[in-house]
Amino acid sequence: MSRRSRTAAVFDRELRTLVRTRSLLAVAAAFALIVIAVAGGAVGAPGGYVSLTLDLLTVVEVLVPVLSFGIVYRSIRGDAERSELDVIRTYPISRVEYVVGVYLGRTFGVLAVVSASLAVAGALASFASPSAASFLATHSAGDSPIVFVRFVALAMLYALTVSAVITAASAAARTTREALAVGVALVVAVAVGLDLAIVGLLSGGVVGGGLEALLGVSPAAFRGLVIELAVAPALASPPPIPAASPAVSLFGLAGWTAISLGIACLAVWR
């Protein structure tokens, strides 16, 4: 069996696990209901896709880590608790193949939920009031489905990074309780903790300039990317202060993903 086949076998196994686990389906349903409810509340409001993107920005930023935690955190740790990891190690599969298969399988579930929920939200936005808001650009770059498509793409990139971080926690934890504690701590850190830490450093004078770069190295760089790449092009005038450096933010998310998967590969078994 080739390396690709071994990774695909683990990927398929994870997908089957997701479909059979009712608690994970409940977490996915809760995420979808909240996103769709927020979008439904915006029906009839001016601003169209720009307003919808801004309405969903904080919701997605906070709930994607929660969704990823619910789906991913017991993946590797659960195999270890059930002694399935010991059996897997008897097969000719490397730790990289196993971790990548687990990550892709679990993350595929996260991406499916995020994309389907946002697709329904975008469909609801088509029923919004067609009247233009004063903050929208009057040229072709103004409010359009492209704004929301960019938001969905960035949300999926964010989900890839957060799922990698949770995968590392699942691999590194020695017990289910430890995986739960570390996972919850990471969710809080990604959703609000790192931003609060940056604010504390700025207010305390520890950090002076370079705010854009500092925001970009956080997993929550997703917010800055949405403002800069999705919302700002649709505005009549750019924001007075850039939310983040897109290049640094993309590099930061890629770095968090690569480092997290590297940690998971090193920690999965000794």
Side-chain angles (χ1 to χ4, degrees), residues 139-163:
H139 51 77
S140 60
D143 183 55
S144 73
I146 295 177
V147 174
F148 195 70
V149 169
R150 290 174 179 170
F151 171 64
V152 174
L154 292 171
M156 297 179 75
L157 178 63
Y158 179 50
L160 286 171
T161 298
V162 176
S163 294

Side-chain angles (χ1 to χ4, degrees), residues 3 17 98 225 245:
R3 172 174 296 185
T17 300
Y98 170 72
L225 285 171
S245 168

Side-chain angles (χ1 to χ4, degrees), residues 6-237:
R6 291 191 291 267
T7 301
V10 178
F11 173 85
D12 181 68
R13 171 180 176 268
E14 296 302 318
L15 287 184
R16 293 175 183 274
T17 300
L18 292 179
V19 174
R20 292 195 305 264
T21 307
R22 293 182 180 180
S23 60
L24 300 183
L25 296 178
V27 171
F31 176 90
L33 287 174
I34 294 173
V35 169
I36 294 170
V38 172
V43 171
Y49 292 102
V50 172
S51 292
L52 177 62
T53 297
L54 293 174
D55 287 340
L56 288 175
L57 177 55
T58 300
V59 175
V60 170
E61 183 181 7
V62 173
L63 291 187
V64 163
V66 176
L67 174 67
S68 298
F69 170 75
I71 291 179
V72 177
Y73 95 97
R74 276 188 58 83
S75 55
I76 297 175
R77 189 63 242 158
D79 284 347
E81 291 287 336
R82 296 187 299 270
S83 298
E84 293 181 17
L85 197 56
D86 293 332
V87 176
I88 291 172
R89 293 177 61 181
T90 64
Y91 291 95
I93 182 171
S94 69
R95 63 180 70 196
V96 173
E97 293 163 350
Y98 170 72
V99 168
V100 171
V102 169
Y103 168 71
L104 292 179
R106 296 284 174 150
T107 305
F108 181 86
V110 176
L111 295 179
V113 175
V114 172
S115 59
S117 303
L118 293 178
V120 175
L124 290 175
S126 64
F127 297 101
S129 172
S131 60
S134 60
F135 59 81
L136 295 181
T138 56
H139 51 77
S140 60
D143 183 55
S144 73
I146 295 177
V147 174
F148 195 70
V149 169
R150 290 174 179 170
F151 171 64
V152 174
L154 292 171
M156 297 179 75
L157 178 63
Y158 179 50
L160 286 171
T161 298
V162 176
S163 294
V165 173
I166 303 299
T167 300
S170 182
R174 297 299 101 187
T175 64
T176 300
R177 180 176 297 180
E178 183 179 329
L180 179 62
V182 173
V184 170
L186 287 173
V187 167
V188 174
V190 170
V192 296
L194 290 173
D195 281 351
L196 292 176
I198 291 173
V199 171
L201 291 174
L202 290 172
S203 61
V206 178
V207 177
L211 177 59
E212 294 180 46
L214 193 60
L215 292 172
V217 299
S218 163
F222 161 71
R223 184 193 315 111
L225 285 171
V226 172
I227 297 298
E228 291 295 317
L229 300 182
V231 175
L235 301 180
S237 59

Side-chain angles (χ1 to χ4, degrees), residues 250-264:
L250 290 171
F251 180 80
L253 290 179
W256 277 96
T257 302
I259 292 172
S260 297
L261 291 179
I263 292 173

